[in-house]
Amino acid sequence: MFKYYFRIAFRSLWKNKGYTTLNIVGLALGMACSFLAALWAYDELTYDQFHENFRSIYQVNRNSERDGQIFVSQNTPYPLATALKQTYPDIEYATRVDRDDARLLTAGEKMVYREVIFADPDFLNIFTFALTEGSTSSVLSDPRSVVLSQKTAEALFGKENAVGQIIRFNNEVDVKVTGVLAGIPANSSFQFDCLFPYSLKAVMDPWFLTLDNVWGNNVVRTYIQLQPNVTAAQTEAKIEHFLTSHDETVKQTLMLHAMPDWHLRNTFENGKIAGGLIDYVRIFLWVAGFVLLIACINFMNLATARSEKRAKEVGIRKAIGSSRGRLILHFLGESNWLAFFAFVLAVMLVSLILPWFNELTDKSIQIPYTSPVYWLIGLGITLITGMAAGFYPAFYLSSFQPVRVLKGTVRLGKNASIPRKVLVGLQFTISILLIISVVVISKQLDYTKDRSVGYDRNNLIMADFTEELKQNEEVLRNELLNSGYISAVSATQAPMTEIRNTNGVGYGDDKSTSLVTVSSDYDYLKTFGIRLKAGRDFSREFATDSSAVLLNESAVKEMNLTDPIGEEIEYGGKNYHVVGVIEDVLMDSPYDHVRPTGVFLKKESRNIINLRFRDGVKMQEALAGTKKIVEGLAPAYPFAYQFVDEEYAKKFATEERIGNLINAFALLTIFISCLGLFGLAAYTAERRTKEIGVRKVLGADLSSIVIMLSKEYVYLIGIASLVASPIAWYFLQGWLQNYTYRIEIPGWVFFFSGLLAILVALLTVSFQAVKAARMNPVKSLRSE
């Protein structure tokens, strides 16, 4: 019986090649989108889950209250990890982690810059980073040791065994390679090339030894792993006021952030998780689901539109004894065969598109061809798609009465058109909703990009301020300024695009608060193009500026200073006096408020040199000239730099990639909708061929016939636009609430989206309408 059904279904599909092609292509595109979305979502949802104990790993965050709001910071005090582990048996392991900029590694004649992190020995007990060489229990026990990535080990030593080799770190200290990491998965929150023990920092700079009992200096990130059967809520209640118990001046609390939430739920509002990337994952999955739904609607529409042609087939089958159940089974078989062919095509499309998709999403996703689960899920989606697409047509076609059909007394067009119109309206409701969403998301991203950051990012580079350059600082500054390329030079502790330190400061009558602390030297405002609101910049003309500080507007507001110039501030055991107030400068997330910040003149803490090029210089020539000067004074360090505007742009990378994905899928949704509309228009024109012929004989011109065939679709899309607009407004308004700085949804977006959908639909329908209107009426009427 099934062989018979298969043969009949195959013949029917082969006979109607155009109809079959439209359905297979539409379903294949819908399935391909859903497969790509599923692969991408799986990669995002399984971030960091390769760690064996990922459900019991937490980052310790610090909460501080300001203006009645609770703000969350990842930076924590230096001694926190050790103290927590020693105090609470609930905590099995604890580690400090400090991510550093790219640093120079030298082995013989080979020199490479690599991303490094510093961590305690418990780091490899908490996180599952496999080693190809070395033991996790001992690789970080020696302060002068290092664990290299496989790529870095090969770059320095080739095929030679790296363990036991000596390398020079940043031209400051020799360290021994004690381990080699296996590949770090792409969906890991930690991406690094070298892992150093945190104790190496004290070897390189004894100042770090003074931080063991300092609780107001927040310079590291702290991670813990809880004992089995210990909950986060239990531990969080115990450690909440841990900072205050060690230092009464620190009025901040601690909270735990679970590893499964680091990547997906890392946006906080008033001290609570308020979303993050998970919002985009949901949006993307919904969009992919809409694409597949529209492909299924196309199938339903085209199948029911062909009902007149298949009515007699159904009548004859019923007349010779076929039951309705068998007819339903037959039509469902047809739809499932179509879905299976579409599945095969979809797998081929995904294989072809995946390299482009990986480039678009900055991922390394691979199709798990050898995974039975992958194929079972794929075939499951195929079966669901086939059943969903064929369910309504199967029951609709099998409901025909054989006597009425064979007598020719059934007129299907008028009644059958109602569900088709509803489904076409649903298709374009979804399409218009997606168009509105794409425009609003794009406008919000542009709005955030165009937000004032308080400094000039253009023509600005930053580079490593090495010890050799520090020793020749005045010579370096003079040569750069006299080169004709550079207009200003200033060194800082950290890049302008990052917040590295937040610390407690004292002021007034025993008052205290937490500030983002920036260490800088002279010409800070000139180099970054920051506007001064009151007072002055650091100046070499004032000997007292060795203890000077600049406050931003947020800090003045937070400290409630009516006349900040001359105010004394205690930081790090030293008193500073305020010499100026600067405009708020955005260094952290462009989606959040600017945090209270103090810029301190501390020449001993500088690691980054910032160079501003003159306007109009030829950049390649200027970079070559700057490189010659820098490497002339520090020949052991290759000149490596980053453009500040490019580093700032990286803050939007995730949102831009997801926005591009949604754009691509929205365009695909519209294309699939038009594909179905094209098939329906062809069917409508074919069914009304004689009517068109009669109208032409009676004097109807081309335009009136095109309008007649197109106007019902214009009405449908107009109604779809009215339905989609309030739905889109409701959901997008809720989505925008996640942003501190957000747009108001402009009214023109709804009008534009509806008009665009109408124009696209008219272009699709008009081809068939014009073709039908230009047909010779003699040919269409000769059978009459």
Side-chain angles (χ1 to χ4, degrees), residues 739-771:
Y739 294 92
T740 304
Y741 293 88
R742 54 182 178 267
I743 64 169
E744 292 294 330
I745 302 177
W748 63 262
V749 169
F750 304 105
F751 176 77
F752 166 79
S753 302
L755 182 62
L756 180 63
I758 289 173
L759 290 175
V760 171
L762 282 176
L763 287 173
T764 304
V765 172
S766 61
F767 175 80
Q768 293 290 355
V770 170
K771 180 181 176 183

PDB file of all heavy atoms in Angstrom, residues 739-771:
ATOM      1  N   TYR A 739      17.702  49.094  27.695  1.00  0.00           N
ATOM      2  CA  TYR A 739      18.803  50.009  27.414  1.00  0.00           C
ATOM      3  C   TYR A 739      18.633  51.305  28.200  1.00  0.00           C
ATOM      4  O   TYR A 739      17.553  51.910  28.206  1.00  0.00           O
ATOM      5  CB  TYR A 739      18.878  50.326  25.916  1.00  0.00           C
ATOM      6  CG  TYR A 739      19.231  49.127  25.078  1.00  0.00           C
ATOM      7  CD1 TYR A 739      18.245  48.315  24.523  1.00  0.00           C
ATOM      8  CD2 TYR A 739      20.563  48.786  24.857  1.00  0.00           C
ATOM      9  CE1 TYR A 739      18.571  47.203  23.771  1.00  0.00           C
ATOM     10  CE2 TYR A 739      20.904  47.678  24.107  1.00  0.00           C
ATOM     11  CZ  TYR A 739      19.906  46.891  23.561  1.00  0.00           C
ATOM     12  OH  TYR A 739      20.238  45.791  22.827  1.00  0.00           O
ATOM     13  N   THR A 740      19.714  51.722  28.832  1.00  0.00           N
ATOM     14  CA  THR A 740      19.700  52.988  29.551  1.00  0.00           C
ATOM     15  C   THR A 740      19.527  54.142  28.574  1.00  0.00           C
ATOM     16  O   THR A 740      18.766  55.074  28.816  1.00  0.00           O
ATOM     17  CB  THR A 740      21.016  53.157  30.338  1.00  0.00           C
ATOM     18  OG1 THR A 740      21.189  52.029  31.199  1.00  0.00           O
ATOM     19  CG2 THR A 740      20.996  54.434  31.158  1.00  0.00           C
ATOM     20  N   TYR A 741      20.242  54.079  27.464  1.00  0.00           N
ATOM     21  CA  TYR A 741      20.136  55.081  26.408  1.00  0.00           C
ATOM     22  C   TYR A 741      19.411  54.435  25.237  1.00  0.00           C
ATOM     23  O   TYR A 741      19.929  53.503  24.617  1.00  0.00           O
ATOM     24  CB  TYR A 741      21.522  55.586  25.988  1.00  0.00           C
ATOM     25  CG  TYR A 741      22.200  56.369  27.080  1.00  0.00           C
ATOM     26  CD1 TYR A 741      22.979  55.728  28.034  1.00  0.00           C
ATOM     27  CD2 TYR A 741      22.024  57.740  27.182  1.00  0.00           C
ATOM     28  CE1 TYR A 741      23.579  56.441  29.056  1.00  0.00           C
ATOM     29  CE2 TYR A 741      22.629  58.459  28.199  1.00  0.00           C
ATOM     30  CZ  TYR A 741      23.408  57.805  29.133  1.00  0.00           C
ATOM     31  OH  TYR A 741      23.996  58.500  30.142  1.00  0.00           O
ATOM     32  N   ARG A 742      18.216  54.918  24.949  1.00  0.00           N
ATOM     33  CA  ARG A 742      17.380  54.269  23.931  1.00  0.00           C
ATOM     34  C   ARG A 742      16.622  55.297  23.115  1.00  0.00           C
ATOM     35  O   ARG A 742      16.406  56.435  23.530  1.00  0.00           O
ATOM     36  CB  ARG A 742      16.397  53.296  24.583  1.00  0.00           C
ATOM     37  CG  ARG A 742      15.539  53.912  25.675  1.00  0.00           C
ATOM     38  CD  ARG A 742      14.630  52.890  26.320  1.00  0.00           C
ATOM     39  NE  ARG A 742      13.839  53.446  27.406  1.00  0.00           N
ATOM     40  CZ  ARG A 742      14.190  53.420  28.682  1.00  0.00           C
ATOM     41  NH1 ARG A 742      15.335  52.851  29.028  1.00  0.00           N
ATOM     42  NH2 ARG A 742      13.416  53.952  29.604  1.00  0.00           N
ATOM     43  N   ILE A 743      16.199  54.860  21.948  1.00  0.00           N
ATOM     44  CA  ILE A 743      15.424  55.717  21.052  1.00  0.00           C
ATOM     45  C   ILE A 743      13.941  55.641  21.398  1.00  0.00           C
ATOM     46  O   ILE A 743      13.501  54.732  22.104  1.00  0.00           O
ATOM     47  CB  ILE A 743      15.626  55.294  19.580  1.00  0.00           C
ATOM     48  CG1 ILE A 743      15.087  53.863  19.348  1.00  0.00           C
ATOM     49  CG2 ILE A 743      17.068  55.418  19.155  1.00  0.00           C
ATOM     50  CD1 ILE A 743      14.991  53.467  17.892  1.00  0.00           C
ATOM     51  N   GLU A 744      13.197  56.599  20.888  1.00  0.00           N
ATOM     52  CA  GLU A 744      11.747  56.498  20.855  1.00  0.00           C
ATOM     53  C   GLU A 744      11.377  55.967  19.471  1.00  0.00           C
ATOM     54  O   GLU A 744      11.906  56.441  18.462  1.00  0.00           O
ATOM     55  CB  GLU A 744      11.101  57.865  21.087  1.00  0.00           C
ATOM     56  CG  GLU A 744      11.304  58.415  22.489  1.00  0.00           C
ATOM     57  CD  GLU A 744      10.596  57.579  23.551  1.00  0.00           C
ATOM     58  OE1 GLU A 744       9.550  56.974  23.221  1.00  0.00           O
ATOM     59  OE2 GLU A 744      11.084  57.526  24.694  1.00  0.00           O
ATOM     60  N   ILE A 745      10.501  54.979  19.412  1.00  0.00           N
ATOM     61  CA  ILE A 745      10.156  54.380  18.116  1.00  0.00           C
ATOM     62  C   ILE A 745       9.430  55.417  17.266  1.00  0.00           C
ATOM     63  O   ILE A 745       8.343  55.891  17.644  1.00  0.00           O
ATOM     64  CB  ILE A 745       9.273  53.134  18.306  1.00  0.00           C
ATOM     65  CG1 ILE A 745       9.987  52.097  19.171  1.00  0.00           C
ATOM     66  CG2 ILE A 745       8.910  52.532  16.954  1.00  0.00           C
ATOM     67  CD1 ILE A 745       9.164  50.865  19.479  1.00  0.00           C
ATOM     68  N   PRO A 746       9.999  55.813  16.120  1.00  0.00           N
ATOM     69  CA  PRO A 746       9.355  56.834  15.283  1.00  0.00           C
ATOM     70  C   PRO A 746       8.149  56.262  14.537  1.00  0.00           C
ATOM     71  O   PRO A 746       8.149  55.104  14.111  1.00  0.00           O
ATOM     72  CB  PRO A 746      10.465  57.238  14.309  1.00  0.00           C
ATOM     73  CG  PRO A 746      11.377  56.056  14.250  1.00  0.00           C
ATOM     74  CD  PRO A 746      11.306  55.385  15.590  1.00  0.00           C
ATOM     75  N   GLY A 747       7.119  57.082  14.346  1.00  0.00           N
ATOM     76  CA  GLY A 747       5.903  56.628  13.683  1.00  0.00           C
ATOM     77  C   GLY A 747       6.108  56.261  12.226  1.00  0.00           C
ATOM     78  O   GLY A 747       5.414  55.375  11.700  1.00  0.00           O
ATOM     79  N   TRP A 748       7.088  56.909  11.572  1.00  0.00           N
ATOM     80  CA  TRP A 748       7.279  56.642  10.149  1.00  0.00           C
ATOM     81  C   TRP A 748       7.723  55.200   9.886  1.00  0.00           C
ATOM     82  O   TRP A 748       7.563  54.700   8.761  1.00  0.00           O
ATOM     83  CB  TRP A 748       8.293  57.615   9.549  1.00  0.00           C
ATOM     84  CG  TRP A 748       9.683  57.523  10.114  1.00  0.00           C
ATOM     85  CD1 TRP A 748      10.226  58.311  11.071  1.00  0.00           C
ATOM     86  CD2 TRP A 748      10.712  56.583   9.754  1.00  0.00           C
ATOM     87  NE1 TRP A 748      11.519  57.939  11.356  1.00  0.00           N
ATOM     88  CE2 TRP A 748      11.846  56.890  10.547  1.00  0.00           C
ATOM     89  CE3 TRP A 748      10.791  55.540   8.844  1.00  0.00           C
ATOM     90  CZ2 TRP A 748      13.029  56.162  10.458  1.00  0.00           C
ATOM     91  CZ3 TRP A 748      11.980  54.821   8.747  1.00  0.00           C
ATOM     92  CH2 TRP A 748      13.073  55.134   9.545  1.00  0.00           C
ATOM     93  N   VAL A 749       8.281  54.547  10.921  1.00  0.00           N
ATOM     94  CA  VAL A 749       8.748  53.168  10.733  1.00  0.00           C
ATOM     95  C   VAL A 749       7.591  52.257  10.328  1.00  0.00           C
ATOM     96  O   VAL A 749       7.736  51.403   9.438  1.00  0.00           O
ATOM     97  CB  VAL A 749       9.405  52.653  12.035  1.00  0.00           C
ATOM     98  CG1 VAL A 749       9.660  51.155  11.953  1.00  0.00           C
ATOM     99  CG2 VAL A 749      10.692  53.387  12.306  1.00  0.00           C
ATOM    100  N   PHE A 750       6.430  52.448  10.936  1.00  0.00           N
ATOM    101  CA  PHE A 750       5.287  51.583  10.653  1.00  0.00           C
ATOM    102  C   PHE A 750       4.754  51.839   9.238  1.00  0.00           C
ATOM    103  O   PHE A 750       4.438  50.899   8.498  1.00  0.00           O
ATOM    104  CB  PHE A 750       4.194  51.823  11.698  1.00  0.00           C
ATOM    105  CG  PHE A 750       4.663  51.638  13.109  1.00  0.00           C
ATOM    106  CD1 PHE A 750       4.903  52.731  13.936  1.00  0.00           C
ATOM    107  CD2 PHE A 750       4.910  50.372  13.610  1.00  0.00           C
ATOM    108  CE1 PHE A 750       5.360  52.564  15.225  1.00  0.00           C
ATOM    109  CE2 PHE A 750       5.369  50.191  14.919  1.00  0.00           C
ATOM    110  CZ  PHE A 750       5.599  51.287  15.719  1.00  0.00           C
ATOM    111  N   PHE A 751       4.660  53.124   8.860  1.00  0.00           N
ATOM    112  CA  PHE A 751       4.196  53.457   7.515  1.00  0.00           C
ATOM    113  C   PHE A 751       5.172  52.944   6.463  1.00  0.00           C
ATOM    114  O   PHE A 751       4.781  52.347   5.451  1.00  0.00           O
ATOM    115  CB  PHE A 751       4.034  54.977   7.385  1.00  0.00           C
ATOM    116  CG  PHE A 751       3.655  55.430   6.004  1.00  0.00           C
ATOM    117  CD1 PHE A 751       2.354  55.298   5.531  1.00  0.00           C
ATOM    118  CD2 PHE A 751       4.618  55.983   5.163  1.00  0.00           C
ATOM    119  CE1 PHE A 751       2.024  55.714   4.256  1.00  0.00           C
ATOM    120  CE2 PHE A 751       4.296  56.392   3.880  1.00  0.00           C
ATOM    121  CZ  PHE A 751       2.992  56.258   3.422  1.00  0.00           C
ATOM    122  N   PHE A 752       6.466  53.153   6.722  1.00  0.00           N
ATOM    123  CA  PHE A 752       7.496  52.716   5.776  1.00  0.00           C
ATOM    124  C   PHE A 752       7.464  51.199   5.581  1.00  0.00           C
ATOM    125  O   PHE A 752       7.564  50.702   4.457  1.00  0.00           O
ATOM    126  CB  PHE A 752       8.870  53.153   6.289  1.00  0.00           C
ATOM    127  CG  PHE A 752      10.025  52.495   5.597  1.00  0.00           C
ATOM    128  CD1 PHE A 752      10.456  52.927   4.355  1.00  0.00           C
ATOM    129  CD2 PHE A 752      10.692  51.418   6.185  1.00  0.00           C
ATOM    130  CE1 PHE A 752      11.517  52.310   3.716  1.00  0.00           C
ATOM    131  CE2 PHE A 752      11.751  50.796   5.562  1.00  0.00           C
ATOM    132  CZ  PHE A 752      12.167  51.262   4.313  1.00  0.00           C
ATOM    133  N   SER A 753       7.332  50.448   6.676  1.00  0.00           N
ATOM    134  CA  SER A 753       7.352  48.982   6.600  1.00  0.00           C
ATOM    135  C   SER A 753       6.162  48.454   5.812  1.00  0.00           C
ATOM    136  O   SER A 753       6.299  47.554   4.978  1.00  0.00           O
ATOM    137  CB  SER A 753       7.358  48.387   8.012  1.00  0.00           C
ATOM    138  OG  SER A 753       8.478  48.847   8.742  1.00  0.00           O
ATOM    139  N   GLY A 754       4.973  49.024   6.072  1.00  0.00           N
ATOM    140  CA  GLY A 754       3.792  48.600   5.325  1.00  0.00           C
ATOM    141  C   GLY A 754       3.909  48.936   3.855  1.00  0.00           C
ATOM    142  O   GLY A 754       3.576  48.114   2.990  1.00  0.00           O
ATOM    143  N   LEU A 755       4.403  50.138   3.556  1.00  0.00           N
ATOM    144  CA  LEU A 755       4.556  50.556   2.154  1.00  0.00           C
ATOM    145  C   LEU A 755       5.577  49.683   1.440  1.00  0.00           C
ATOM    146  O   LEU A 755       5.369  49.282   0.282  1.00  0.00           O
ATOM    147  CB  LEU A 755       4.994  52.024   2.113  1.00  0.00           C
ATOM    148  CG  LEU A 755       5.150  52.647   0.714  1.00  0.00           C
ATOM    149  CD1 LEU A 755       3.810  52.635  -0.022  1.00  0.00           C
ATOM    150  CD2 LEU A 755       5.691  54.072   0.814  1.00  0.00           C
ATOM    151  N   LEU A 756       6.678  49.367   2.113  1.00  0.00           N
ATOM    152  CA  LEU A 756       7.698  48.509   1.511  1.00  0.00           C
ATOM    153  C   LEU A 756       7.125  47.122   1.197  1.00  0.00           C
ATOM    154  O   LEU A 756       7.380  46.572   0.111  1.00  0.00           O
ATOM    155  CB  LEU A 756       8.894  48.379   2.458  1.00  0.00           C
ATOM    156  CG  LEU A 756      10.046  47.502   1.974  1.00  0.00           C
ATOM    157  CD1 LEU A 756      10.672  48.070   0.705  1.00  0.00           C
ATOM    158  CD2 LEU A 756      11.113  47.345   3.063  1.00  0.00           C
ATOM    159  N   ALA A 757       6.342  46.567   2.135  1.00  0.00           N
ATOM    160  CA  ALA A 757       5.735  45.251   1.898  1.00  0.00           C
ATOM    161  C   ALA A 757       4.783  45.299   0.710  1.00  0.00           C
ATOM    162  O   ALA A 757       4.753  44.372  -0.116  1.00  0.00           O
ATOM    163  CB  ALA A 757       4.998  44.789   3.148  1.00  0.00           C
ATOM    164  N   ILE A 758       4.002  46.370   0.595  1.00  0.00           N
ATOM    165  CA  ILE A 758       3.070  46.510  -0.534  1.00  0.00           C
ATOM    166  C   ILE A 758       3.832  46.600  -1.852  1.00  0.00           C
ATOM    167  O   ILE A 758       3.474  45.940  -2.840  1.00  0.00           O
ATOM    168  CB  ILE A 758       2.170  47.746  -0.337  1.00  0.00           C
ATOM    169  CG1 ILE A 758       1.169  47.492   0.794  1.00  0.00           C
ATOM    170  CG2 ILE A 758       1.419  48.095  -1.634  1.00  0.00           C
ATOM    171  CD1 ILE A 758       0.355  48.704   1.178  1.00  0.00           C
ATOM    172  N   LEU A 759       4.898  47.382  -1.887  1.00  0.00           N
ATOM    173  CA  LEU A 759       5.674  47.537  -3.130  1.00  0.00           C
ATOM    174  C   LEU A 759       6.305  46.220  -3.551  1.00  0.00           C
ATOM    175  O   LEU A 759       6.290  45.864  -4.744  1.00  0.00           O
ATOM    176  CB  LEU A 759       6.756  48.603  -2.935  1.00  0.00           C
ATOM    177  CG  LEU A 759       6.260  50.049  -2.796  1.00  0.00           C
ATOM    178  CD1 LEU A 759       7.423  50.985  -2.488  1.00  0.00           C
ATOM    179  CD2 LEU A 759       5.564  50.496  -4.084  1.00  0.00           C
ATOM    180  N   VAL A 760       6.882  45.502  -2.562  1.00  0.00           N
ATOM    181  CA  VAL A 760       7.504  44.212  -2.886  1.00  0.00           C
ATOM    182  C   VAL A 760       6.452  43.235  -3.404  1.00  0.00           C
ATOM    183  O   VAL A 760       6.681  42.508  -4.389  1.00  0.00           O
ATOM    184  CB  VAL A 760       8.221  43.637  -1.645  1.00  0.00           C
ATOM    185  CG1 VAL A 760       8.671  42.201  -1.902  1.00  0.00           C
ATOM    186  CG2 VAL A 760       9.417  44.492  -1.279  1.00  0.00           C
ATOM    187  N   ALA A 761       5.275  43.206  -2.765  1.00  0.00           N
ATOM    188  CA  ALA A 761       4.203  42.310  -3.192  1.00  0.00           C
ATOM    189  C   ALA A 761       3.709  42.679  -4.584  1.00  0.00           C
ATOM    190  O   ALA A 761       3.443  41.803  -5.420  1.00  0.00           O
ATOM    191  CB  ALA A 761       3.063  42.345  -2.190  1.00  0.00           C
ATOM    192  N   LEU A 762       3.561  43.983  -4.856  1.00  0.00           N
ATOM    193  CA  LEU A 762       3.097  44.414  -6.183  1.00  0.00           C
ATOM    194  C   LEU A 762       4.083  44.022  -7.273  1.00  0.00           C
ATOM    195  O   LEU A 762       3.686  43.603  -8.368  1.00  0.00           O
ATOM    196  CB  LEU A 762       2.891  45.931  -6.189  1.00  0.00           C
ATOM    197  CG  LEU A 762       1.604  46.436  -5.531  1.00  0.00           C
ATOM    198  CD1 LEU A 762       1.569  47.961  -5.517  1.00  0.00           C
ATOM    199  CD2 LEU A 762       0.371  45.888  -6.259  1.00  0.00           C
ATOM    200  N   LEU A 763       5.384  44.167  -6.981  1.00  0.00           N
ATOM    201  CA  LEU A 763       6.388  43.738  -7.959  1.00  0.00           C
ATOM    202  C   LEU A 763       6.287  42.246  -8.234  1.00  0.00           C
ATOM    203  O   LEU A 763       6.471  41.790  -9.377  1.00  0.00           O
ATOM    204  CB  LEU A 763       7.792  44.082  -7.447  1.00  0.00           C
ATOM    205  CG  LEU A 763       8.186  45.560  -7.481  1.00  0.00           C
ATOM    206  CD1 LEU A 763       9.532  45.764  -6.792  1.00  0.00           C
ATOM    207  CD2 LEU A 763       8.259  46.060  -8.924  1.00  0.00           C
ATOM    208  N   THR A 764       6.002  41.473  -7.179  1.00  0.00           N
ATOM    209  CA  THR A 764       5.883  40.022  -7.326  1.00  0.00           C
ATOM    210  C   THR A 764       4.650  39.655  -8.136  1.00  0.00           C
ATOM    211  O   THR A 764       4.713  38.835  -9.069  1.00  0.00           O
ATOM    212  CB  THR A 764       5.812  39.359  -5.937  1.00  0.00           C
ATOM    213  OG1 THR A 764       6.941  39.740  -5.170  1.00  0.00           O
ATOM    214  CG2 THR A 764       5.782  37.846  -6.062  1.00  0.00           C
ATOM    215  N   VAL A 765       3.506  40.262  -7.789  1.00  0.00           N
ATOM    216  CA  VAL A 765       2.234  39.913  -8.421  1.00  0.00           C
ATOM    217  C   VAL A 765       2.137  40.485  -9.825  1.00  0.00           C
ATOM    218  O   VAL A 765       1.567  39.860 -10.735  1.00  0.00           O
ATOM    219  CB  VAL A 765       1.061  40.419  -7.548  1.00  0.00           C
ATOM    220  CG1 VAL A 765      -0.277  40.239  -8.266  1.00  0.00           C
ATOM    221  CG2 VAL A 765       1.047  39.690  -6.218  1.00  0.00           C
ATOM    222  N   SER A 766       2.714  41.688 -10.019  1.00  0.00           N
ATOM    223  CA  SER A 766       2.524  42.374 -11.306  1.00  0.00           C
ATOM    224  C   SER A 766       3.110  41.598 -12.472  1.00  0.00           C
ATOM    225  O   SER A 766       2.608  41.686 -13.598  1.00  0.00           O
ATOM    226  CB  SER A 766       3.137  43.767 -11.248  1.00  0.00           C
ATOM    227  OG  SER A 766       4.532  43.688 -11.001  1.00  0.00           O
ATOM    228  N   PHE A 767       4.170  40.820 -12.219  1.00  0.00           N
ATOM    229  CA  PHE A 767       4.742  40.029 -13.316  1.00  0.00           C
ATOM    230  C   PHE A 767       3.705  39.073 -13.896  1.00  0.00           C
ATOM    231  O   PHE A 767       3.517  39.007 -15.116  1.00  0.00           O
ATOM    232  CB  PHE A 767       5.960  39.258 -12.804  1.00  0.00           C
ATOM    233  CG  PHE A 767       6.562  38.326 -13.823  1.00  0.00           C
ATOM    234  CD1 PHE A 767       7.409  38.814 -14.805  1.00  0.00           C
ATOM    235  CD2 PHE A 767       6.260  36.961 -13.819  1.00  0.00           C
ATOM    236  CE1 PHE A 767       7.951  37.958 -15.754  1.00  0.00           C
ATOM    237  CE2 PHE A 767       6.797  36.108 -14.768  1.00  0.00           C
ATOM    238  CZ  PHE A 767       7.656  36.608 -15.734  1.00  0.00           C
ATOM    239  N   GLN A 768       3.040  38.328 -13.020  1.00  0.00           N
ATOM    240  CA  GLN A 768       2.006  37.401 -13.478  1.00  0.00           C
ATOM    241  C   GLN A 768       0.790  38.150 -14.012  1.00  0.00           C
ATOM    242  O   GLN A 768       0.162  37.722 -14.983  1.00  0.00           O
ATOM    243  CB  GLN A 768       1.585  36.475 -12.334  1.00  0.00           C
ATOM    244  CG  GLN A 768       2.647  35.501 -11.870  1.00  0.00           C
ATOM    245  CD  GLN A 768       2.929  34.409 -12.899  1.00  0.00           C
ATOM    246  OE1 GLN A 768       2.270  34.322 -13.932  1.00  0.00           O
ATOM    247  NE2 GLN A 768       3.933  33.588 -12.624  1.00  0.00           N
ATOM    248  N   ALA A 769       0.465  39.281 -13.374  1.00  0.00           N
ATOM    249  CA  ALA A 769      -0.699  40.049 -13.816  1.00  0.00           C
ATOM    250  C   ALA A 769      -0.499  40.607 -15.218  1.00  0.00           C
ATOM    251  O   ALA A 769      -1.400  40.534 -16.075  1.00  0.00           O
ATOM    252  CB  ALA A 769      -0.974  41.180 -12.821  1.00  0.00           C
ATOM    253  N   VAL A 770       0.676  41.159 -15.462  1.00  0.00           N
ATOM    254  CA  VAL A 770       0.967  41.711 -16.801  1.00  0.00           C
ATOM    255  C   VAL A 770       1.004  40.596 -17.838  1.00  0.00           C
ATOM    256  O   VAL A 770       0.486  40.738 -18.964  1.00  0.00           O
ATOM    257  CB  VAL A 770       2.302  42.483 -16.777  1.00  0.00           C
ATOM    258  CG1 VAL A 770       2.745  42.850 -18.188  1.00  0.00           C
ATOM    259  CG2 VAL A 770       2.173  43.725 -15.918  1.00  0.00           C
ATOM    260  N   LYS A 771       1.601  39.476 -17.472  1.00  0.00           N
ATOM    261  CA  LYS A 771       1.653  38.322 -18.381  1.00  0.00           C
ATOM    262  C   LYS A 771       0.256  37.862 -18.768  1.00  0.00           C
ATOM    263  O   LYS A 771      -0.028  37.594 -19.943  1.00  0.00           O
ATOM    264  CB  LYS A 771       2.420  37.182 -17.704  1.00  0.00           C
ATOM    265  CG  LYS A 771       2.546  35.927 -18.559  1.00  0.00           C
ATOM    266  CD  LYS A 771       3.306  34.850 -17.785  1.00  0.00           C
ATOM    267  CE  LYS A 771       3.355  33.549 -18.584  1.00  0.00           C
ATOM    268  NZ  LYS A 771       4.035  32.470 -17.821  1.00  0.00           N
TER     269      LYS A 771
END
